[in-house]
Amino acid sequence: MTGGVQEAEAAPAEVFDVAVVGAGPAGLAAAGEAAAAGCSVLLVDAGTQFGGQYWRHAAPEAEDTDPGRWHHGWSIYQRLTQRVRDAVDVGRIRHLASTHVVSVRREQAGGDGAEGFLLQASLLPEAQKPGSYQAPQLLQARALILCPGTYDRQLPVPGWTLPGVMAAGGVQAFIKTQGAAPGRRVVLAGTGPFLLSAAASVIHAGAEVAAICESNSLTGWFPGGAAAALVPSKAAEGAGYVALLAKHRVPYYRSTAVTAIHGDAAREGAVRSVTVSALDASGTPVPGSGREVNDVDVVGLGWGFVPQPELLLQLGAQTTLDEDGSLVGVADADQSSSIPRLYLAGEITGVAGAAAAVAEGRIAGRAASSSVGQAVRAGVADIQDRATRAAHRRFASVMQKAHPIPEGWTQWLEDETLICRCEEVPWETARAAAEELSAEEPRGLKGSTRIGMGWCQGRMCGFAAQCLSKKAHVGEGGASSGREAEHAAALSAAKRPLAVPMRLGDLAEEPELTQE
Amino acid sequence: MTAKPVTITVDGESVRTESGRSVAAALTLEQQRTAWRSTRFNQEPRGLFCGIGACFDCLITVDGTPGLRGCMVQVEDGMSVETDKS
């Protein structure tokens, strides 16, 4: 034991110039750029492979010779990963796969006296090999770029806990990694262009799309059509989906929501049908408009995406509420957060898609490199990245305005509909608690109902909880305080002690600084 | 696609699948199962939901280790999988 301590003093732990969390579009771009600038880079990613959610693909063991067929921008992915792999090969980037950054704090790092970051990284339990347990490790970096990405945003609906009901992104992830659809006949519902992308994947996998239910009327796209037209790749992608869906005669319903999902008692309650209802202009189900779509075995639900804010919140960086109601980090023109040497790239600054994420990642990679003394020449590429970011942000803004969450979504809930899947908290309990909430106590919903306290730590029900808390607060002040109340509700819903659930044994253990 | 055949056991029963599959996908595609866990309070059946490791609905026991996300574990030849409800 004593020997170990002395050894630690004799050999100071390596301090990376830049740590990048996440290896999706933004993280790959950021790491590649920082390495090219001459930085030593730590790239920590929960995935077993590069690509994040957007470029999620089959495991090498599947020996898929053409993973690009499921993807947009696969050649961009290949370029980004080749650059990162080359840097890994020469020791410029250290890549930790299947690893979560559980916690992060600011701490003095390196010899220049400036503050850096101390990351606690933990191998996923699923990646631990029996008999050779790998304990969490502490890693140091002078600058940090967070590219944590998103997961699907959910709204509860009666029957959404039945087997066969999945996140729309989960349906697509299944297809991209397994090369097969998780079912035979799929309904996709929620809002946003991602439903079209998921439908295209289902069709390419050889399954049927029984219906797409888009809750919005899409008239919201027209005032901003000019911004959409400025992004030809998006227009082409959209046109491709429309042609594919038309060819396969996929019913596409606007101003429509899945308002109930029904299971088959003989098959463990697995999905058999859905009720779809028309929504009025305020996003409330029209009574009596419901009709059944039968012979369905998979339902994919998606109401946009939730940027993962845990590490951002642990560091106390400034946040704001995006147009779509997402809690996002505030970043300046160089992707710098409110905290020195903390940079943000990709969906954590607002959901805007992969092209914007790559541009932001590259900008952040250069800015982080400059911050640790690696001079970067800002050339034509930088101008291009900034233009790409601007165009895609404008597009995202139009998209978010065109796809709001239906105001009346709670109308389709039944008393026994679970709001929190993990802790099995029904709507009647959540509603009663929300009505009693006070603005002075934004965490009340969680405390009084256990909503968000289960395995997923509110990742699935967090947005619903945020909406319910906001509703409780609105009316206690003017419009601006309503927005502030929603921001407060979003912060309280997202507040988690650790970025991912950990084993208690890992929490008890004090990890040592990783030696190089 | 030139995936290799892989055999796992699920609750003692031999299941043939292929390399590269997740445990959740093997149950879904080879066994047509949509649920393999019961909830604590209402004993509701659960299986895949988010599909990307965020929701913890697809928890399963693999080679004696409980509480693993079925969507995040890849099958290996000879792997022993136990569900919550055999």
Side-chain angles (χ1 to χ4, degrees), chain A residues 15-16 107-118 140-142 341:
Chain A
V15 178
F16 293 91
E107 198 171 278
Q108 189 165 322
D112 62 0
E115 272 197 73
F117 301 89
L118 191 62
Q140 285 178 290
R142 297 162 72 201
R341 291 186 180 175

Side-chain angles (χ1 to χ4, degrees), chain B residues 2-76:
Chain B
T2 46
K4 296 175 185 64
V6 165
T7 304
I8 61 172
T9 62
V10 180
D11 300 324
E13 185 193 330
S14 182
V15 174
R16 291 172 64 90
T17 181
E18 58 186 60
S19 57
R21 291 263 178 266
S22 69
V23 167
L27 293 173
T28 304
L29 296 172
E30 323 301 351
Q31 293 203 298
Q32 283 73 51
R33 286 180 75 160
T34 50
W36 45 85
R37 187 176 74 85
S38 279
T39 58
R40 254 187 315 167
F41 303 115
N42 303 340
Q43 277 78 50
E44 287 182 3
R46 294 277 174 88
L48 269 179
F49 180 68
C50 82
I52 60 169
C55 79
F56 293 81
D57 255 351
C58 64
L59 295 179
I60 200 159
T61 300
V62 179
D63 287 335
T65 305
L68 298 181
R69 292 164 287 183
C71 67
M72 305 283 280
V73 182
Q74 214 173 300
V75 296
E76 283 172 23

Side-chain angles (χ1 to χ4, degrees), chain A residues 145-207:
Chain A
I145 307 175
L146 294 180
C147 315
T150 65
Y151 46 80
D152 291 85
R153 186 152 82 176
Q154 295 298 335
L155 286 178
V157 57
W160 75 307
T161 54
L162 294 174
V165 181
M166 294 176 68
V171 173
Q172 189 178 63
F174 189 104
I175 293 168
K176 284 175 172 179
T177 55
Q178 309 298 323
R184 193 175 41 74
R185 199 158 183 272
V186 183
V187 168
L188 293 158
T191 192
F194 180 72
L195 297 177
L196 305 180
S197 171
S201 296
V202 170
I203 291 168
H204 286 142

